[in-house]
Coordinates of all heavy atoms in Angstrom, one line a residue:
G1 N -11.5 -17.7 -4.8 CA -10.3 -17.9 -4.1 C -10.1 -16.9 -3.0 O -11.0 -16.0 -2.7
S2 N -9.0 -17.0 -2.3 CA -8.7 -16.2 -1.1 C -7.3 -15.6 -1.2 O -6.4 -16.2 -1.8 CB -8.8 -17.0 0.2 OG -10.1 -17.5 0.3
L3 N -7.2 -14.5 -0.6 CA -5.9 -13.8 -0.4 C -5.8 -13.1 1.0 O -6.9 -12.7 1.4 CB -5.6 -12.8 -1.5 CG -5.2 -13.2 -2.9 CD1 -5.2 -12.0 -3.8 CD2 -3.9 -14.0 -2.9
R4 N -4.7 -13.0 1.5 CA -4.5 -12.2 2.7 C -3.5 -11.1 2.5 O -2.3 -11.4 2.2 CB -4.1 -13.0 3.9 CG -4.1 -12.1 5.2 CD -3.8 -12.9 6.5 NE -2.4 -13.1 6.7 CZ -1.8 -13.2 7.9 NH1 -2.6 -13.2 9.0 NH2 -0.5 -13.3 8.0
L5 N -3.9 -9.9 2.6 CA -3.1 -8.7 2.4 C -2.5 -8.3 3.7 O -3.1 -8.4 4.8 CB -3.8 -7.5 1.8 CG -4.6 -7.8 0.5 CD1 -5.2 -6.6 -0.1 CD2 -3.7 -8.5 -0.6
S6 N -1.3 -7.7 3.7 CA -0.6 -7.2 4.9 C -0.2 -5.8 4.6 O 0.1 -5.4 3.5 CB 0.6 -8.0 5.2 OG 0.3 -9.4 5.5
C7 N -0.2 -5.0 5.6 CA 0.3 -3.6 5.6 C 1.2 -3.4 6.8 O 0.7 -3.3 7.9 CB -0.9 -2.6 5.6 SG -0.5 -0.9 5.9
A8 N 2.4 -3.2 6.5 CA 3.4 -3.0 7.5 C 3.6 -1.5 7.7 O 3.9 -0.7 6.8 CB 4.7 -3.6 7.2
A9 N 3.5 -1.0 9.0 CA 3.7 0.4 9.3 C 5.0 0.6 9.9 O 5.5 -0.2 10.6 CB 2.6 0.9 10.2
S10 N 5.6 1.8 9.7 CA 6.9 2.1 10.2 C 6.9 2.5 11.7 O 7.9 2.5 12.3 CB 7.5 3.2 9.4 OG 6.7 4.4 9.4
T11 N 5.7 2.8 12.2 CA 5.6 3.2 13.6 C 4.4 2.6 14.2 O 3.6 2.0 13.5 CB 5.5 4.8 13.7 OG1 4.3 5.2 13.1 CG2 6.7 5.5 13.1
S12 N 4.3 2.7 15.5 CA 3.2 2.1 16.2 C 2.0 3.0 16.1 O 1.8 3.8 17.0 CB 3.6 1.8 17.7 OG 4.7 0.9 17.7
I13 N 1.2 2.8 15.1 CA 0.0 3.7 14.9 C -1.3 2.9 15.0 O -2.4 3.6 15.1 CB 0.1 4.3 13.5 CG1 0.1 3.2 12.4 CG2 1.3 5.3 13.4 CD1 0.0 3.8 11.0
L14 N -1.2 1.6 15.0 CA -2.5 0.9 14.9 C -3.4 1.0 16.2 O -4.6 0.8 16.1 CB -2.2 -0.6 14.6 CG -1.4 -0.9 13.3 CD1 -1.3 -2.4 13.1 CD2 -2.1 -0.2 12.1
S15 N -2.7 1.3 17.3 CA -3.5 1.4 18.5 C -3.9 2.8 18.8 O -4.5 3.2 19.8 CB -2.7 0.9 19.7 OG -1.5 1.7 19.8
I16 N -3.6 3.7 17.8 CA -3.9 5.1 18.0 C -5.0 5.6 17.0 O -5.9 6.3 17.4 CB -2.6 6.0 17.8 CG1 -1.5 5.6 18.8 CG2 -3.0 7.5 17.9 CD1 -0.2 6.3 18.5
Y17 N -4.8 5.2 15.8 CA -5.7 5.7 14.7 C -6.7 4.6 14.2 O -6.3 3.4 14.2 CB -4.9 6.2 13.5 CG -3.9 7.3 13.9 CD1 -2.5 7.1 13.8 CD2 -4.4 8.6 14.3 CE1 -1.7 8.1 14.2 CE2 -3.5 9.6 14.6 CZ -2.1 9.3 14.6 OH -1.2 10.3 14.9
T18 N -7.8 5.1 13.6 CA -8.6 4.2 12.8 C -7.8 4.0 11.5 O -7.4 4.9 10.8 CB -9.9 4.8 12.5 OG1 -10.7 4.9 13.7 CG2 -10.7 4.0 11.5
M19 N -7.7 2.7 11.1 CA -7.0 2.4 9.9 C -7.9 1.7 8.9 O -8.9 1.1 9.3 CB -5.8 1.4 10.2 CG -4.7 2.0 11.0 SD -3.8 3.4 10.2 CE -3.0 2.5 8.9
G20 N -7.6 1.9 7.6 CA -8.5 1.3 6.6 C -7.7 0.7 5.4 O -6.6 1.0 5.2
W21 N -8.4 -0.2 4.8 CA -8.0 -0.7 3.5 C -8.8 0.0 2.4 O -10.1 0.0 2.5 CB -8.2 -2.2 3.4 CG -7.1 -3.0 4.1 CD1 -7.1 -3.5 5.3 CD2 -5.8 -3.3 3.6 NE1 -5.9 -4.2 5.6 CE2 -5.1 -4.0 4.5 CE3 -5.2 -3.0 2.4 CZ2 -3.8 -4.5 4.4 CZ3 -3.9 -3.5 2.2 CH2 -3.2 -4.2 3.2
F22 N -8.2 0.4 1.4 CA -8.8 1.1 0.3 C -8.4 0.3 -1.0 O -7.5 -0.4 -1.1 CB -8.3 2.5 0.1 CG -8.5 3.4 1.4 CD1 -7.7 3.3 2.5 CD2 -9.6 4.3 1.4 CE1 -7.9 4.0 3.6 CE2 -9.8 5.1 2.5 CZ -8.9 5.0 3.6
R23 N -9.2 0.5 -2.1 CA -8.9 -0.1 -3.3 C -9.2 0.9 -4.5 O -10.1 1.7 -4.3 CB -9.6 -1.4 -3.5 CG -11.1 -1.3 -3.7 CD -11.6 -2.8 -3.8 NE -13.1 -2.7 -4.0 CZ -13.8 -3.8 -3.9 NH1 -13.3 -5.0 -3.7 NH2 -15.1 -3.7 -4.1
Q24 N -8.5 0.7 -5.5 CA -8.7 1.6 -6.7 C -8.6 0.7 -8.0 O -7.6 0.1 -8.3 CB -7.8 2.7 -6.8 CG -8.1 3.7 -7.9 CD -7.3 5.0 -7.8 OE1 -6.3 5.1 -7.2 NE2 -7.8 6.0 -8.4
A25 N -9.8 0.6 -8.6 CA -9.8 -0.2 -9.9 C -9.6 0.8 -11.0 O -9.8 2.0 -10.9 CB -11.2 -0.8 -10.0
P26 N -9.1 0.3 -12.2 CA -8.8 1.2 -13.3 C -10.0 2.0 -13.7 O -11.2 1.5 -13.8 CB -8.5 0.2 -14.4 CG -8.0 -1.0 -13.7 CD -8.8 -1.1 -12.5
G27 N -9.8 3.3 -13.8 CA -10.9 4.2 -14.2 C -11.9 4.6 -13.1 O -12.9 5.3 -13.4

């Protein structure tokens, strides 16, 4: 299946910094 995740930022940072998606599985 598929999902689309979103990350809303409080300020305009996306054009300034490298941004990433991270994940953490149990353990």
Side-chain angles (χ1 to χ4, degrees):
S2 298
L3 285 173
R4 188 176 83 152
L5 307 184
S6 298
C7 168
S10 58
T11 63
S12 298
I13 59 173
L14 301 184
S15 60
I16 301 174
Y17 301 114
T18 292
M19 296 294 295
W21 280 99
F22 301 78
R23 68 185 181 188
Q24 187 167 20

